[in-house]
Amino acid sequence: MRYDTALARRLALPEETRARLEAHVVARRQIMAVREAREPGLDPRTDPNDRVALASWSRGGATGRCLCGQDDRMSGTRYEAITWERVAEALAGRVDDPAAGGSWLKVGIDGAPAAPGDRLAGLLAEALRGRGRAVHLVGTGGFLRPASLRYEYGKQDPDAYYSGWTDTGALWREVFGPLEPEGSGRVLPDLWDPVKDRATRSPYVTLPPGGVLVLHGPFLLGHWFPFDLTVHLRLSPAALARRTEEAWTLPAFARYEAEVDPAGTADVVVRADDPRHPAWTGLGG
């Protein structure tokens, strides 16, 4: 099929269908990149006109090599090497603002399960407590919907994983709502146990005025959650595919990149391709 004919047919598809198709194409390229790293000489079969894919991946023999800085230089984004501890201390310094008064502050740490979001959240909580702030940690893994709803379209549906697994309504009701200016401060730490597939029945936790909520998990941006500070843990496509155990979820992350642009939306971006050597954009203005 001629390229211009294929392009015309693709553009004629409904916008939602076209977005899903493009997300699946990106995910397949990510998987093939990982296979090439493990099997030297394997043809990844990427589009020869896809400059981003060619710039992001180098045929490096048996190990492969992701040129993670290439895209960053092309976009003008500069990253500085840093440790996780220093990131946490810097974020705590930004959050610990006397001007906030008695208001509750909310920090979102967004990242795929393959990124160390829970680790950064724990370090940030420790740094804030060292500054005398009360902190409440919440992971979205405790606010998943029941299995009957998560698996309505099968256990490996990337669209359901992207928009239907996390109970965002419960997060609004049980986490963000009580921290509104006239709220009670009584926050539910978790709601559902995905292993036992039943309610956790955890007691409410009261976060005193001036306390900080730290919420971590995937797909946090794009829901209009009222965060005061957002952090996105960025993984290159190759690193995400290499470190993701459930490969069927990759189209969901490709869709998230296309629809939300988390690196362009978050206040702070930390590149975590190698979790031992993070790099970040800094706090900005």
Side-chain angles (χ1 to χ4, degrees), residues 100-229:
S103 301
W104 291 286
L105 298 175
K106 311 164 195 72
V107 180
I109 299 181
D110 172 68
D118 53 350
R119 177 187 176 188
L120 179 58
L123 290 172
L124 175 57
E126 182 180 344
L128 285 167
R129 290 179 181 128
R131 293 169 175 263
R133 288 273 188 172
V135 183
H136 182 54
L137 278 175
V138 175
T140 58
F143 282 85
L144 297 181
R145 290 191 170 99
S148 60
L149 298 178
R150 299 199 310 274
Y151 302 149
E152 183 178 2
Y153 301 102
K155 292 187 176 182
Q156 296 187 353
D157 185 281
D159 290 321
Y161 176 69
Y162 174 64
S163 60
W165 276 38
T166 301
D167 193 341
T168 55
L171 285 172
W172 276 106
R173 182 179 66 254
E174 305 291 355
V175 178
F176 291 108
L179 302 183
E180 290 295 316
E182 301 301 325
S184 65
R186 296 178 69 248
V187 177
L188 195 64
D190 48 54
L191 178 65
W192 197 261
D193 185 333
V195 176
K196 298 179 180 179
D197 197 32
R198 66 184 186 188
T200 58
R201 302 187 184 278
S202 297
Y204 283 89
V205 175
T206 300
L207 188 63
V212 181
L213 167 74
V214 179
L215 177 66
H216 61 91
F219 312 132
L220 289 185
L221 308 178
H223 294 292
W224 300 100
F225 289 147
F227 292 120
D228 298 287
L229 180 67

Side-chain angles (χ1 to χ4, degrees), residues 63 86 113 139 222 228 263:
T63 59
R86 287 177 55 205
D228 298 287

